[in-house]
Amino acid sequence: MNRRLGHIAATLALVALALFAARMGNGDGSAREAKKFSVEFFDTFDTLVSFTAFTKDEIEFEGYARVVHDEMLRLHRLFDIYHDHDGLVGMKAINDAAGGVPLSVDASIADLLEIAKDAYEDTGGAVNVTLGPVLKIWHDHRDRAPANSGDAPIPSLEELQAAATHVSASDILIDREHSTVLLRHADMRLDVGAAAKGYAVQKAVELLRDAGLKSGLINAGGNVVIIGPPLDGRESWNIGVRAPDLEELRPAESKLLDVLYLSDGAAVTSGSDQRYFTSGGRRYHHIIDPETLFPAENVRSVTVRHPNSTVADILSTAAFVLPPDRARALIARHGAEALWVTGDGKKLATPGYLARSQLVRSADAAKGGAAEP
Ligand code: ADP
Ligand code: MG
């Protein structure tokens, strides 16, 4: 995660925009104005986070925005594997203590790691947060790759295999009762990037609901969660699904792959076009197949819909890594819905995905459409 970005936006600048007003019933027969406000911040999870909501006024919106930002920042600091944060025992401290004595941790850390251990079993190892040493090699190569060179060095298989000696999630030892965590082997390292953002957005949304918000949306770099329909008379929000470099395949098409019409739940996209470097005419992106230790090659992107954002985030990474038949079975087993974009640009979707997608409302869907926020 990027420390520089964190400093730029150390204080949340609430640039709330009233875009338009709508009528909202008050239950007592009267009606009051509900206005749409939005804010963006850049200091968590190395990505742009936007929050949009319908509230009675800007003061109310700012209260909800603070809930979102505070929780995202708290979890960003806890889950950061690159930096220590004052007064916190985070993922980096757990990595540094590998093979030593158990550390007392915040309940959110124990919770996320327990989910991650379950995900490892559930996905047959496709989503594996103990791949840290392997992911670090890829991360460092990406960081060092000269911009636009197209010929950056790639890691050797030997180097990757040597980093993968202890990569079983069953070696994450969690004591829920005493809230402690220990990595069994000294060379183990966690990287929770596949689930951390989805988990953080899920927790922020739960706090918003508890605080009484009825209509809103968080989008954290393609990880979207919705609370209720917009209060402007429409039944659903229009959520844009970014196209994974389809213009490279079909230059006439826009950056928008699809528009989803949603009034609840989460939609999460994992793609090969966000973090990568190129070498010898090939793209080396950030989602690694634990079987090969190289970037997964089955598809270009996967978008998953599920009521829970943590589950959707894990499933989107898993469905990106797994071969198509196993990916489909996993999605079906969770009652989730998904859209895949294959290597040659074909779109494959589950029927439930299509039911809320522009892809069926318009034969020419990939040419774009209005999306928000
Ligand atoms: P994004 O971070 O772009 O939203 P994902 O949710 O798919 O995408 O997570 C990708 C991140 O997860 C990578 O940056 C890396 O930190 C980590 N990762 C990559 N491959 C795996 C894997 N097979 N299992 C667990 N984590 C992975
Ligand atoms: Mg994920």
Side-chain angles (χ1 to χ4, degrees):
M1 299 185 197
N2 191 321
R3 173 165 275 184
R4 191 172 51 81
L5 285 180
H7 284 296
I8 290 170
T11 48
L12 169 62
L14 279 179
V15 190
L17 293 172
L19 295 180
F20 51 86
R23 306 298 290 178
M24 181 172 74
N26 243 358
D28 58 359
S30 67
R32 64 183 168 93
E33 295 288 311
K35 294 195 185 83
K36 184 179 174 185
F37 297 91
S38 289
V39 65
E40 293 182 339
F41 51 91
F42 307 86
D43 57 346
T44 65
F45 295 96
D46 207 6
T47 196
L48 172 68
V49 178
S50 67
F51 169 56
T52 303
F54 282 86
T55 56
K56 71 174 189 301
D57 56 28
E58 188 167 345
I59 306 266
E60 186 185 16
F61 175 78
E62 286 179 4
Y64 288 128
R66 198 150 286 120
V67 167
V68 174
H69 184 252
D70 286 355
E71 182 67 352
M72 297 281 296
L73 195 55
R74 184 182 81 84
L75 293 173
H76 162 87
R77 288 176 173 154
L78 285 175
F79 299 160
D80 189 348
I81 59 169
Y82 299 111
H83 312 104
D84 286 312
H85 296 273
D86 285 349
L88 283 184
V89 177
M91 291 293 175
K92 177 163 186 308
I94 295 171
N95 280 343
D96 292 345
V101 292
L103 290 186
S104 293
V105 295
D106 186 281
S108 302
I109 288 200
D111 191 32
L112 179 69
L113 291 179
E114 208 140 77
I115 292 170
K117 287 181 72 160
D118 290 346
Y120 175 78
E121 297 298 328
D122 185 50
T123 64
V127 174
N128 180 356
V129 299
T130 68
L131 277 176
V134 173
L135 297 172
K136 181 176 188 320
I137 292 174
W138 285 107
H139 181 268
D140 291 348
H141 276 74
R142 220 165 37 241
D143 267 3
R144 286 199 300 261
N148 307 321
S149 99
D151 217 10
I154 59 167
S156 70
L157 183 58
E158 293 69 31
E159 182 186 0
L160 294 166
Q161 281 170 340
T165 39
H166 289 116
V167 287
S168 169
S170 57
D171 289 331
I172 305 171
L173 309 177
I174 305 170
D175 180 341
R176 261 338 259 271
E177 200 189 328
H178 302 100
S179 202
T180 66
V181 171
L182 173 66
L183 305 180
R184 189 191 299 271
H185 305 285
D187 57 357
M188 283 178 72
R189 295 292 180 273
L190 299 171
D191 179 330
V192 290
K197 209 167 44 172
Y199 180 90
V201 177
Q202 179 65 31
K203 293 300 150 189
V205 159
E206 286 168 12
L207 291 178
L208 286 175
R209 277 211 191 89
D210 291 349
L213 183 66
K214 298 285 186 293
S215 173
L217 175 165
I218 302 176
N219 185 349
N223 199 314
V224 179
V225 189
I226 314 275
I227 301 179
L231 296 179
D232 57 5
R234 290 179 299 162
E235 283 174 11
S236 55
W237 303 82
N238 298 346
I239 306 301
V241 179
R242 213 173 22 81
D245 283 349
L246 280 181
E247 79 278 13
E248 185 189 289
L249 296 163
R250 299 183 203 135
E253 293 193 0
S254 86
K255 279 273 183 196
L256 216 53
L257 171 69
D258 188 16
V259 177
L260 279 167
Y261 306 103
L262 303 180
S263 57
D264 59 13
V268 177
T269 299
S270 286
S272 57
D273 61 330
Q274 286 299 288
R275 293 165 210 262
Y276 63 85
F277 64 92
T278 48
S279 184
R282 291 190 52 184
R283 176 178 291 187
Y284 294 87
H285 62 77
H286 73 314
I287 303 175
I288 303 302
D289 182 344
E291 302 262 321
T292 63
L293 305 180
F294 272 73
E297 287 186 343
N298 293 315
V299 290
R300 285 180 165 237
S301 84
V302 182
T303 301
V304 172
R305 285 209 55 223
H306 189 276
N308 181 296
S309 156
T310 315
V311 177
D313 196 3
I314 290 166
L315 290 179
S316 75
T317 307
F320 190 102
V321 167
L322 289 169
D325 50 338
R326 286 178 63 198
R328 273 181 179 272
L330 180 73
I331 292 293
R333 187 149 47 77
H334 283 272
E337 307 295 345
L339 168 71
W340 287 263
V341 179
T342 62
D344 55 1
K346 283 204 191 67
K347 298 165 205 154
L348 304 170
T350 60
Y353 177 95
L354 289 175
R356 289 175 172 272
S357 153
Q358 192 190 49
L359 293 175
V360 286
R361 297 197 186 181
S362 152
D364 205 16
K367 288 226 162 71
E372 44 193 342

